[in-house]
């Protein structure tokens, strides 16, 4: 597909990512999908190439680039037919440590994260009883001497089984004792290697796609007080910027997915002959592909705007939300279009379309649902009354 209005940023990075992903063709991902296995080789290759340390400053062993560069990496991973969900958290999760951790914490962990010696892939926020209402989390860390004693439960914590470290959000003051619901939460950097089996139980949750997600149970898990990031009670605001980065980065993955579907649909429509001619000659096939391209082009512009605002240190919360919503809806339209263009072959494993169709559907729900994005815009931009 000619990119046309979808102008290419960071061409050198994109080209390098394409060449790396070419070593991991559809058959690789199909096998992992069947076995619900983690793409260890792929993640290792990305790490060794330096793509997962794009946002880590050079003084800590990273590239010191901005979010827009990271978006280029993830977009190309997804356009190639690969899946960045196995490792994208390492890009945005470490931001909490980088922005709010002590110098000792940063020098202890960031160089090892950049080199791949340590993996920081797990982000422990969501709970069964709270969902997206983060202020109602109940996992509690009680200070006892030089340690915190953690009890509670988390759900939908991806990559916990493949991570050495986890950024954990928990309450250190009960909600009803706080001036504001968002007060009284703290962030701990948990060493998973020591925690599992010593107060932390990890239970895999099988889903419709291969996303390595889990449920976590904390039963008197002892975490050293030195693992506290920033100040106690201010954890909610620490993770907010990380959440904005997450939404922008995942929006870029959706753009990559959308390009994958448009690429595949366009190629198939030119090659597939029915009734004596290419199906791409029919407007009933052409127009949905063209519409998918138009929608994706608009969404891509919003992703770029959000990433540039984030890199400039501007408040990009609304733009991050809108970028995520627009790109996830554009990729989902493109996915449906691609299935329809392929007909029965769209459901065949060997074409990779059905796998990517399942993968991109996730982003209508996570990391934040479409309805909550609309609620944010309604109340924060349009000054409408809160509905909850």
């Amino acid at each position: 597909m000619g990119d046309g209005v979808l102008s290419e940023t960071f061409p050198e990075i994109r080209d390098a990512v394409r060449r790396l992903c070419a070593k991991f063709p559809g058959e690789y991902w199909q096998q992992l999908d069947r076995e619900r296995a983690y793409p260890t080789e792929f993640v290792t290759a990305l790490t060794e190439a330096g793509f997962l340390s794009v946002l880590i400053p050079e003084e800590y062993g990273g590239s010191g680039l901005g979010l827009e560069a990271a978006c280029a990496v993830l977009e190309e991973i997804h356009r190639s037919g690969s899946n960045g969900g196995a490792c994208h958290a390492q890009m945005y999760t470490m931001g909490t440590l980088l922005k709010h951790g002590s110098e000792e914490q940063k020098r202890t962990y960031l160089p090892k994260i950049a080199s791949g010696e340590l993996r920081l892939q797990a982000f422990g926020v969501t709970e069964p009883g709270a969902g997206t209402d983060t202020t109602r989390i109940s996992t509690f860390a009680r200070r006892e001497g030089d340690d915190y004693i953690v009890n509670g439960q988390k759900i939908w914590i991806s990559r916990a089984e493949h991570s050495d470290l986890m950024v954990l959000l928990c309450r250190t003051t009960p909600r009803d004792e706080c001036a504001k619901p968002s007060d009284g939460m703290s962030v701990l950097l948990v060493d998973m290697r020591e925690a599992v089996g010593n107060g932390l139980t990890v239970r895999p949750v099988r889903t419709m796609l291969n996303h390595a997600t889990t449920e976590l149970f904390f039963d008197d898990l002892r975490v050293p007080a030195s693992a506290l990031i920033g100040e106690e009670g201010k954890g909610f605001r620490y993770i907010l910027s990380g959440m904005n980065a997450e939404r922008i980065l995942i929006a870029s993955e959706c753009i990559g997915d959308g390009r994958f579907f448009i690429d595949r649909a366009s190629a198939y429509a030119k090659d597939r002959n029915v009734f004596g001619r290419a199906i791409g000659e029919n407007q009933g096939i052409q127009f949905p592909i063209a519409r998918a391209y138009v929608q994706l082009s608009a969404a891509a512009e919003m992703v770029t705007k959000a990433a540039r605002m984030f890199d400039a240190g501007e408040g990009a919360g609304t733009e991050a939300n809108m970028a995520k919503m627009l790109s996830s809806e554009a990729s989902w339209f493109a996915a449906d279009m691609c299935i329809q263009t392929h007909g029965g072959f769209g459901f065949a494993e060997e074409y990779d379309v059905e796998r990517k169709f399942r993968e991109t559907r996730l982003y209508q729900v996570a990391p934040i649902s479409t309805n909550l994005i609309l609620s944010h815009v309604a109340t924060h931009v349009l000054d409408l009354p809160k509905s909850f």
Side-chain angles (χ1 to χ4, degrees), residues 3 32 50 52-53 66 76 90 97 103 137 143 150 153 166 206 224 232 239 255 291 299 309 324 335 344 385 387:
D3 285 337
L32 293 172
L52 297 187
S53 59
E76 291 303 328
Q90 189 138 312
L97 173 62
E103 188 58 35
I137 65 170
R143 183 68 181 263
V150 183
Q153 183 180 354
M166 174 173 61
R206 188 175 175 88
E232 187 176 290
I239 67 166
I255 298 301
R291 181 176 292 276
M309 289 180 67
K324 190 268 177 181
S387 58

Side-chain angles (χ1 to χ4, degrees), residues 295-359:
Q295 292 178 177
L296 194 75
S297 298
E301 292 297 321
M302 179 56 74
V303 176
T304 298
K305 178 180 179 180
R308 288 176 178 173
M309 289 180 67
F310 187 94
D311 285 339
E314 300 175 23
T318 296
E319 288 74 16
N321 277 304
M322 292 195 297
K324 190 268 177 181
M325 175 179 159
L326 288 171
S327 60
S328 64
E329 291 186 345
S331 69
W332 180 237
F333 179 87
D336 188 64
M337 171 278 297
C338 192
I339 286 273
Q340 199 68 20
T341 301
H342 281 75
F345 288 106
F347 296 88
E349 180 185 77
E350 67 180 283
Y351 280 75
D352 288 310
V353 174
E354 63 84 26
R355 172 177 60 83
K356 295 291 288 182
F357 178 88
R358 287 182 281 114
E359 289 174 0

